[in-house]
Amino acid sequence: QAGLTQLPSVSKGLRQTATLTCSGNNFNIDNQGVSWLQQRQGHPPKLLSYRNDNRPSGISERFSASRSGNTASLTITGLQPEDEADYYCATWDNSLRGWVFGGGTKLTVV
Amino acid sequence: QVQLQQWGAGLLKPSETLSLTCAVYGDSFAGYYWSWIRQPPGKGLEWIGESNYSGTTNYSPSLNSRVTISVDTSKNQFSLKLSSLTAADTAVYYCARGLASYGRRAGLDFWGQGTPVTVSS
């Protein structure tokens, strides 16, 4: 299954800012937009943003997402211990007629 | 508040068929796409397939020959069947609701709690 490309891991300090990136192609991110999911250990994924830069109700303003062409970014400001999790980007791929996910970025807050 | 509650057998033998059901509470069943996603131990997310309210489906090309997703609109439920299981199908299986916005898929906004499935003889 063709997927999106994410860095496997990022480590940042408490109260710092982390920017996670996700790369796709013209059939998915550029055409359909991207969403971001947070998955804490032992829990189901949680939607952080959808359609590139929209935040669902109840998601902290510390999480902001954007997209430029085939690359999407998730920025987390004021890192807290509870932000330590795996972060996945996801998009609908029109050529595959299905959802594709990035491999996930493990964020460590030190 | 929307909730997805899923259930099904968690220990199966090779060649058997996995059967899971997901019930949707707190919102209309219509107007959304209903997906199944799985996550092998220690690995990332893999989309299995989806159905809309009227039963139109899309499946992952890699699983297409073994997957059936169906909906029961009278009960606000949708189900997954995955046949000819092997050890490679061992994973946590999630159901999820898919948003559509301006004719495009926007995100998977509500997820079930997950069902661990082990395939072993």
Side-chain angles (χ1 to χ4, degrees):
Chain A
Q1 181 178 15
L4 306 174
T5 301
Q6 297 183 253
L7 285 177
S9 62
V10 169
S11 180
K12 288 287 186 180
L14 199 61
R15 293 181 295 277
Q16 287 189 333
T17 295
T19 298
L20 312 182
T21 60
C22 171
S23 298
N25 61 44
N26 292 337
F27 292 104
N28 45 53
I29 285 183
D30 197 29
N31 182 267
Q32 295 288 311
V34 68
S35 58
W36 287 89
L37 300 155
Q38 177 194 62
Q39 186 178 32
R40 295 189 176 110
Q41 183 70 29
H43 291 270
K46 176 182 178 182
L47 185 68
L48 295 179
S49 75
Y50 63 96
R51 200 157 32 92
N52 298 321
D53 55 7
N54 293 271
R55 214 172 18 244
S57 173
I59 299 300
S60 170
E61 292 180 356
R62 296 191 298 108
F63 295 90
S64 62
S66 63
R67 179 185 67 88
S68 177
N70 293 336
T71 300
S73 299
L74 175 72
T75 298
I76 311 168
T77 59
L79 284 169
Q80 300 297 311
E82 61 265 28
D83 297 331
E84 193 161 285
D86 293 323
Y87 292 83
Y88 294 92
C89 56
T91 187
W92 179 262
D93 190 304
N94 256 345
S95 65
L96 297 175
R97 297 296 300 162
W99 284 97
V100 291
F101 296 96
T105 295
K106 183 176 184 61
L107 175 64
T108 302
V109 180
V110 298
Chain B
Q1 174 72 349
V2 177
Q3 290 187 9
L4 276 64
Q5 186 173 346
Q6 57 182 104
W7 64 88
L11 179 59
L12 294 156
K13 292 180 167 49
S15 81
E16 291 186 334
T17 296
L18 169 67
S19 182
L20 299 175
T21 299
C22 183
V24 180
Y25 302 100
D27 199 358
S28 168
F29 200 63
Y32 300 99
Y33 294 86
W34 304 97
S35 276
W36 289 96
I37 297 105
R38 70 182 183 179
Q39 186 171 35
K43 296 189 177 180
L45 302 168
E46 179 186 16
W47 182 75
I48 299 170
E50 68 170 16
S51 178
N52 67 4
Y53 174 84
S54 60
T56 300
T57 55
N58 289 298
Y59 297 138
S60 166
S62 63
L63 298 170
N64 182 64
S65 63
R66 299 194 291 131
V67 173
T68 302
I69 294 175
S70 58
V71 297
D72 184 339
T73 56
S74 68
K75 296 181 180 179
N76 272 22
Q77 294 177 0
F78 62 109
S79 298
L80 167 71
K81 289 190 186 302
L82 181 66
S83 64
S84 304
L85 292 173
T86 71
D89 295 310
T90 293
V92 176
Y93 286 72
Y94 295 101
C95 58
R97 188 179 82 168
L99 288 172
S101 175
Y102 301 103
R104 299 178 179 180
R105 302 293 197 278
L108 296 159
D109 63 344
F110 288 97
W111 293 63
Q113 77 275 20
T115 300
V117 172
T118 300
V119 181
S120 174
S121 55

